[in-house]
Amino acid sequence: MKTSVIGFPRIGEQRELKKSLEAYWSKKSTFDVVEKTAKELRARHWGYQKDAGIDLIAVNDFSLYDNMLDMMQTLGAIPKRFRDLEDKTYQYFSMARGNDTTTAMEMTKWFNTNYHYIVPELSLDDTYKLDISSIKSQYDEAKALGINAKINLIGPITFLALSKRVDGGDTLELFSKILPIYKELVKEISNFGGDVIIDFHEPIFVRGFEKALFLLKDAYNSLASKNKVIVTTFFEHSSEATKVLLITPIYGLGLDFVDGEKNIDSLGDIAKSGKKLFAGVISGRNIWINDLEATKTKIDNMLKVIDEDNLIISTSSSLLHTPFTLEYEDGLDKDVKSWLAYAKEKLNEVSTLSKMFSDDFNTSNNVLLQANIEAIRNRKTSKKVHNDEVKNRVKNLSIERDTPYEARIKAQREAFKYPDLATTTIGSFPQTAEVRATRRSFKNGEIDSDVYEAKMEELILDCIKFQEDIDLDVLVHGEFERNDMVEYFGEQMSGFAFSKNGWVQSYGSRCVKPPVIYGDVSRPNAMTVKWSSFANKNTNKIMKGMLTGPVTILNWSFVRDDQPRSETSYQIAVAISDEVKDLESAGVTMIQVDEAAFKEGYPLRDENIAEYERWAVEGFKATVAPAKATTQIHTHMCYSEFNDIIKTIEAMDADVISIETARSGNELLKIFKSVGYKQEVGPGIYDIHSPRVPDVSEMVKQIEALMEVLPKTQLWINPDCGLKTRKWDEVKPSLRNMVEAVKIVRNK
Ligand code: GLN
Ligand code: ZN
């Protein structure tokens, strides 16, 4: 059986591309070096795929920054402010990152992944102009290396749907302008010679997106009339689009059978159409080994409907969302490692699966399959994964706090006696070079725990002193012991593993290394109590404890695939709830449970939203359910737009929520008022993402604007996110001005 891979990660297994881009940006090296690195990486990645026996390999999956950005240059869809930049390279990176005189383009999340793309800015008076040079040269490179190449392109409807109109209106109105340039592109590609296959990615249709189905038909009736065109979707099913595509002249369809199981319902129609099916059965999103025997059975069932000649084994999406290879993971537990497959290992899974369909295949002789069978069996029963006590605790989870909000807030305000417009921060204070160096030397064993703790206590005391000096109402300890709000907790819970080289691209040259949740989650020891209670004992002011919530930990990790995500979320909730109780017993009775990434787990299809919201809200509530009525629970979310989810936010029932509204005045707060939101709210009053120090009068205005929307009894005053990325000499005057502004408003 033939095989194909949608796309491969590009940053490099030693993050070579990152390093060479960053050296170039900081003028320590030249663009020639970047190009050389890029060329080497492409050749290496194609080589891996060819060596693994993959039949059809992607070209133009590579990018120096982002594929949407590449597509903009290919189509000549350049925003006005960059159009006059003659040097293509300078133009490209200016669009991505801004330059001395021009602001960068906006960036946003690619569907429900943690990858971010650059958002095209289109307008009705654009004129497009094709530039095929980059695609052509990559294709020639691949051909010279003997690669059987298909060319990846973002399809026209997805390109438009993910763009924004700078002149107002719907981007889909530009369809008739953009289609001709796509036609020209396809025509140019057909001149490359051979029977080159074009793989158009149209993932927007996994959202249903029925309003654009007629455009989809028009697009591929014309783009596929003379060329071999595949249309690929991923991350969910796209059944509505499949129906339409099957009556166009496309050559094949790429569908996700891992995260889009409903695609199976389209099989009969696909069979009748006689088109090729690129069946995405190996996940491009997770890092777990595939259950090859189970997948073989799945494909056997497909073959009852579809001709073997028309079925190609593929990945569910580009492998972009997985790290490169396990080869450098010498620190992982041996069993855990045997359950993992990164991009390179997934190539072998694709090819092994294909071999399993050949007549002379011998299961017992195939080393990879034998190891796979053994690892799958071992993962199902391993004590490293399964912990009955955890499973039982989840079964008996309580979700509700004993006392309703009205009674709680009354008791809390009596206990804490904080004023209206109480001032606080979101948790972290600047992570200076000194802070990071201290953590690093402790981790490397250069200093022992006594020295480390003494240093941390010193930092905490300084931080308290500053907060007392400026007269903040509610203090924090500063989070100096934390490298990252998820990793810090993950490292202390069982069921988590941390890789050495599990980097995935987040945007541009930025990579993240998500924790791996492989087993039932529990918390052997208190994680934050030492720091928080030390801080609490060293001030007469209110000290707020600081935790990360289960949904955020889940959404920023690689999550096990052998149980529903909701189950893993509940397990984390139980573990964090133990921490809530321990903080409370230690006298820390104001506790913030951050859900910075709550919105990121939203499903792609509307019909699945209610279910996600149900368990995500329950996970948060279960985390704080054991808290006494007098213990005040805060949460923080890094969003400003709550219109769609306000009812869900309300259902979380946190006593206080702080949010990111600083950049939108009081506009976005209005939704809280219009739904009659009762709980207290801290709308960030200044933007911490910028080094700018807002002055007192500006903050007075901002506070007064907030008070036009919600009464002062319901408002807290705080910055809009944690301060860890800022410098002390920005933080000090900003917070001082903030407290000053509140005092002026209170005295009016
Ligand atoms: N408490 C965290 C901090 O202040 C919250 C971070 C976040 O919202 N991303 O850093
Ligand atoms: Zn935040």
Side-chain angles (χ1 to χ4, degrees):
M1 199 167 290
K2 290 274 192 255
T3 55
S4 172
V5 165
I6 296 186
F8 203 74
R10 54 221 181 199
I11 207 79
E13 62 202 57
Q14 297 297 336
R15 288 178 293 156
E16 292 90 337
L17 183 60
K18 173 193 176 70
K19 288 166 196 162
S20 109
L21 279 170
E22 289 174 0
Y24 164 63
W25 292 335
S26 63
K27 303 204 161 58
K28 289 189 192 105
S29 100
T30 61
F31 189 61
D32 290 349
V33 181
V34 174
E35 280 189 307
K36 184 166 164 284
T37 310
K39 194 171 173 186
E40 279 167 14
L41 289 174
R42 284 190 292 264
R44 187 197 294 165
H45 302 158
W46 288 326
Y48 286 160
Q49 296 174 76
K50 192 177 172 205
D51 292 348
I54 305 299
D55 297 303
L56 194 57
I57 297 173
V59 162
N60 201 37
D61 56 342
F62 192 88
S63 175
L64 291 179
Y65 203 96
D66 167 51
N67 295 119
M68 284 289 281
L69 181 59
D70 298 347
M71 208 61 210
M72 289 176 228
Q73 267 197 344
T74 299
L75 302 171
I78 311 291
K80 267 205 189 74
R81 64 185 186 284
F82 302 104
R83 250 173 243 170
D84 294 337
L85 303 177
E86 301 242 326
D87 182 306
K88 286 274 167 198
T89 307
Y90 184 62
Q91 182 188 56
Y92 183 85
F93 290 120
S94 294
M95 286 161 76
R97 312 175 64 237
N99 60 32
D100 290 345
T101 53
T102 321
T103 51
M105 297 178 74
E106 196 190 306
M107 189 169 70
T108 198
K109 263 166 70 78
W110 178 246
F111 297 87
N112 56 358
T113 70
N114 287 327
Y115 177 78
H116 299 72
Y117 68 92
I118 308 271
V119 183
E121 298 168 16
L122 309 178
S123 96
L124 206 53
D125 57 20
D126 290 339
T127 42
Y128 302 122
K129 188 172 175 303
L130 191 67
D131 176 357
I132 200 163
S133 54
S134 161
I135 297 174
K136 170 82 172 120
S137 69
Q138 290 179 58
Y139 184 77
D140 290 345
E141 264 171 53
K143 281 285 133 187
L145 293 165
I147 301 299
N148 186 30
K150 60 160 179 155
I151 294 176
N152 281 11
L153 295 171
I154 313 259
I157 322 279
T158 295
F159 183 79
L160 290 177
L162 298 183
S163 299
K164 63 179 180 189
R165 272 285 284 278
V166 288
D167 55 347
D170 191 335
T171 50
L172 293 180
E173 286 168 13
L174 302 178
F175 178 72
S176 57
K177 284 185 66 115
I178 209 127
L179 188 62
I181 198 92
Y182 266 92
K183 282 197 213 163
E184 212 181 310
L185 172 59
V186 163
K187 187 153 173 284
E188 289 288 330
I189 290 176
S190 63
N191 291 339
F192 291 180
D195 218 2
V196 45
I197 296 180
I198 304 175
D199 184 356
F200 279 108
H201 294 177
E202 289 284 13
I204 196 66
F205 290 98
V206 302
R207 292 186 182 275
F209 211 55
E210 286 165 86
K211 68 171 180 179
L213 288 174
F214 73 104
L215 298 179
L216 184 72
K217 187 163 132 238
D218 286 358
Y220 292 98
N221 270 337
S222 100
L223 297 175
S225 64
K226 296 202 189 72
N227 296 277
K228 266 194 181 170
V229 164
I230 312 169
V231 177
T232 300
T233 64
F234 31 81
F235 307 145
E236 248 294 0
H237 80 87
S238 53
S239 307
E240 302 86 347
T242 297
K243 279 204 180 62
V244 171
L245 287 166
L246 290 179
I247 51 174
T248 69
I250 61 166
Y251 168 74
L253 265 177
L255 299 177
D256 182 338
F257 291 94
V258 179
D259 293 311
E261 288 187 354
K262 281 219 173 85
N263 276 325
I264 215 87
D265 299 342
S266 303
L267 233 52
D269 290 342
I270 298 171
K272 263 183 253 149
S273 77
K275 296 189 192 299
K276 303 280 177 200
L277 173 63
F278 293 78
V281 291
I282 299 291
S283 173
R285 292 292 295 278
N286 74 29
I287 50 166
W288 307 105
I289 51 169
N290 186 278
D291 184 341
L292 292 175
E293 289 199 307
T295 305
K296 163 86 167 50
T297 309
K298 192 158 144 181
I299 298 173
D300 280 335
N301 286 329
M302 292 182 175
L303 291 177
K304 290 179 189 154
V305 187
I306 289 207
D307 277 358
E308 187 157 343
D309 288 347
N310 280 342
L311 198 140
I312 297 102
I313 297 175
S314 180
T315 54
S316 70
S317 69
S318 167
L319 297 172
L320 176 67
H321 313 289
T322 64
F324 275 81
T325 167
L326 286 165
E327 274 154 45
Y328 308 98
E329 299 294 0
D330 49 17
L332 282 172
D333 176 271
K334 187 173 106 324
D335 287 333
V336 173
K337 190 173 168 184
S338 76
W339 304 326
L340 301 180
Y342 292 177
K344 212 176 153 195
E345 290 78 29
K346 283 169 189 281
L347 298 176
N348 292 331
E349 293 190 335
V350 171
S351 72
T352 304
L353 256 176
S354 126
K355 286 185 200 132
M356 287 163 79
F357 289 89
S358 71
D359 294 337
D360 54 4
F361 184 77
N362 184 330
T363 302
S364 49
N365 283 347
N366 187 292
V367 181
L368 194 142
L369 181 59
Q370 283 309 314
N372 177 275
I373 292 170
E374 172 56 21
I376 293 285
R377 194 194 52 74
N378 163 267
R379 187 178 172 206
K380 281 189 182 131
T381 54
S382 170
K383 284 275 165 269
K384 290 175 187 166
V385 176
H386 304 278
N387 177 334
D388 290 340
E389 197 189 322
V390 173
K391 294 190 206 294
N392 284 330
R393 285 193 64 191
V394 167
K395 271 194 207 117
N396 301 310
L397 202 62
S398 37
I399 310 280
E400 297 297 331
R401 293 179 75 177
D402 294 339
T403 315
Y405 173 70
E406 285 81 357
R408 285 196 319 258
I409 195 72
K410 196 159 168 283
Q412 290 163 12
R413 292 201 70 150
E414 269 162 27
F416 291 115
K417 297 195 171 49
Y418 57 78
D420 293 341
L421 306 177
T423 51
T424 191
T425 64
I426 305 304
S428 58
F429 270 76
Q431 293 260 330
T432 58
E434 185 199 12
V435 170
R436 278 180 274 125
T438 308
R439 273 201 316 264
R440 208 177 316 119
S441 2
F442 179 51
K443 201 169 179 179
N444 298 341
E446 289 151 27
I447 56 175
D448 65 20
S449 61
D450 288 347
V451 176
Y452 176 69
E453 280 177 28
K455 184 70 209 169
M456 285 293 139
E457 290 182 357
E458 194 185 308
L459 290 163
I460 292 172
L461 291 176
D462 287 349
C463 188
I464 291 177
K465 172 133 192 344
F466 165 70
Q467 296 174 82
E468 286 175 343
D469 282 350
I470 63 163
D471 203 19
L472 271 172
D473 298 310
V474 171
L475 278 44
V476 296
H477 75 287
E479 299 182 26
F480 304 110
E481 74 286 7
R482 305 184 191 178
N483 34 1
D484 172 276
M485 65 188 290
V486 170
E487 193 170 72
Y488 179 75
F489 290 92
E491 278 176 342
Q492 299 184 75
M493 291 193 276
S494 11
F496 282 75
F498 289 84
S499 65
K500 274 196 185 150
N501 209 37
W503 296 102
V504 284
Q505 193 175 8
S506 168
Y507 65 88
S509 66
R510 256 302 272 260
C511 300
V512 293
K513 191 155 66 63
V516 176
I517 308 178
Y518 65 86
D520 290 343
V521 175
S522 61
R523 184 211 67 150
N525 297 300
M527 303 181 283
T528 65
V529 175
K530 186 167 61 189
W531 309 120
S532 283
S533 68
F534 171 81
N536 194 32
K537 284 183 192 125
N538 280 285
T539 181
N540 294 323
K541 294 227 167 186
I542 306 168
M543 178 57 63
K544 184 165 64 165
M546 206 51 64
L547 304 174
T548 301
V551 185
T552 296
I553 293 181
L554 193 82
N555 286 341
W556 281 342
S557 299
F558 279 119
V559 180
R560 57 194 285 194
D561 64 345
D562 58 346
Q563 67 181 20
R565 286 173 81 83
S566 54
E567 186 69 15
T568 305
S569 176
Y570 290 133
Q571 292 183 354
I572 305 170
V574 170
I576 306 284
S577 79
D578 287 347
E579 191 72 15
V580 169
K581 273 184 285 186
D582 285 351
L583 279 173
E584 194 179 60
S585 316
V588 180
T589 54
M590 191 179 278
I591 303 170
Q592 180 172 313
V593 179
D594 288 325
E595 283 294 14
F598 188 87
K599 239 176 147 179
E600 301 189 9
Y602 268 71
L604 294 167
R605 288 204 163 246
D606 291 347
E607 62 265 30
N608 301 326
I609 288 178
E611 172 63 5
Y612 170 75
E613 289 179 333
R614 184 188 62 73
W615 63 254
V617 168
E618 280 187 4
F620 177 82
K621 289 178 76 175
T623 307
V624 301
K628 295 192 188 116
T630 46
T631 294
Q632 185 167 71
I633 299 297
H634 290 225
T635 189
H636 166 70
M637 288 194 186
C638 302
Y639 306 105
S640 47
E641 262 274 0
F642 287 93
N643 290 9
D644 293 350
I645 61 168
I646 189 73
K647 284 285 154 198
T648 310
I649 299 302
E650 198 169 32
M652 287 169 72
D653 196 28
D655 300 315
V656 183
I657 183 171
S658 58
I659 55 176
E660 226 185 68
T661 41
R663 275 165 290 183
S664 47
N666 66 4
E667 250 340 281
L668 296 167
L669 191 61
K670 290 180 178 160
I671 185 71
F672 286 82
K673 176 176 178 139
S674 70
V675 298
Y677 189 87
K678 292 192 295 286
Q679 288 90 333
E680 300 188 351
V681 188
I685 72 154
Y686 78 88
D687 175 14
I688 64 91
H689 305 86
S690 139
R692 199 174 149 264
V693 176
D695 63 30
V696 178
S697 61
E698 182 184 336
M699 293 210 250
V700 168
K701 280 206 199 87
Q702 176 76 359
I703 297 167
E704 287 175 340
L706 299 174
M707 285 163 64
E708 285 167 19
V709 183
L710 292 178
K712 63 177 196 281
T713 46
Q714 203 181 348
L715 285 172
W716 285 65
I717 303 299
N718 44 257
D720 73 348
C721 195
L723 302 166
K724 71 173 175 197
T725 55
R726 297 266 62 90
K727 301 202 170 66
W728 273 108
D729 54 8
E730 295 151 3
V731 164
K732 283 187 175 174
S734 300
L735 288 180
R736 218 180 273 279
N737 291 353
M738 184 182 89
V739 177
E740 186 65 36
V742 170
K743 287 186 177 166
I744 291 172
V745 175
R746 280 188 194 137
N747 286 334
K748 270 192 188 169

